[in-house]
Amino acid sequence: AYFLGGIPSISEKDPIKKDKLVHYIPKSHVAESYRDIRTELLFLMVKLKDTKTILVTSAEPQAGKTTTVTNMAITFAQAEHNVLIVDVDLRKPQLHMIFDIDKGLGMGDYMLGNAELEQVIRGTEIKNLKVVTAGKNLSNPAEIMGSGKMEEFLSEVKERFDFIFFD
């Protein structure tokens, strides 16, 4: 386990601004804290060799996973890295709302074989940042996410992106 840093309490009440604080208020103390963690992550990832994927998870709801993922991914994109965020919260997805993207085809559709990779990768207003929304809700997400289709997905996106964040 590694301690990468801490994030001060975010006073922003607007959930969309909170989840993209480093984009909207880049000179804030919170944004600087996310950039400090980005630096620590980059140093750690060099040691781990060829690591491109970052998963943020928690056993508790409302723990700040999505806020952490979106702000961290934005800091990587701001540093000129080609970044993808994947919404694998197939029960309560949020990324489509945060980035104001139609839920449309997404990870669930790709995993079921109903969409190609090109159809699920969506642009955002942030340079160097793309998103895969959750898409179709799955009745058995854990089993599907552990399938060979996920390995195929990872293989393809690792070729195209510098870093992949999973919410």
Side-chain angles (χ1 to χ4, degrees), residues 9 13 40 42 46 50 55 63 91 94 96 108 115 126 134-135 146-148 150 160-161:
S9 180
K13 299 297 179 219
E40 293 297 322
L42 287 169
V46 167
D50 296 326
L55 169 68
R91 291 199 175 102
Q94 296 181 47
H96 65 285
I126 298 167
S147 71
M150 181 55 120
R160 298 177 54 180
F161 294 92

Side-chain angles (χ1 to χ4, degrees), residues 1 14 18 21 24 29 50 63 95-96 102 108 115 125 134 137 141 156:
D14 180 343
K18 181 175 86 174
L21 192 117
Y24 288 115
H29 292 298
D50 296 326
L95 290 180
H96 65 285
D102 180 88
E125 78 272 21
N137 289 350
E156 289 188 48

Side-chain angles (χ1 to χ4, degrees), residues 41-123:
L41 263 174
L42 287 169
F43 281 128
L44 178 62
M45 292 170 102
V46 167
K47 289 180 189 175
L48 298 175
K49 296 198 176 40
D50 296 326
T51 300
K52 291 183 157 201
T53 57
I54 300 164
L55 169 68
V56 177
T57 189
S58 168
E60 299 177 26
Q62 303 294 312
K65 299 175 291 291
T66 300
T67 298
T68 299
V69 164
T70 55
N71 280 294
M72 285 306 307
I74 292 167
T75 66
F76 276 72
Q78 289 171 336
E80 301 298 321
H81 296 289
N82 192 17
V83 179
L84 178 68
I85 306 176
V86 182
D87 197 341
V88 290
D89 186 343
L90 301 177
R91 291 199 175 102
K92 290 186 178 178
Q94 296 181 47
L95 290 180
H96 65 285
M97 293 180 291
I98 293 165
F99 291 99
D100 194 24
I101 299 170
D102 180 88
K103 192 174 173 184
L105 295 174
M107 195 63 181
D109 304 282
Y110 176 86
M111 294 303 288
L112 292 171
N114 298 332
E116 297 297 320
L117 189 61
E118 289 304 320
Q119 294 174 286
V120 299
I121 296 175
R122 316 285 269 297

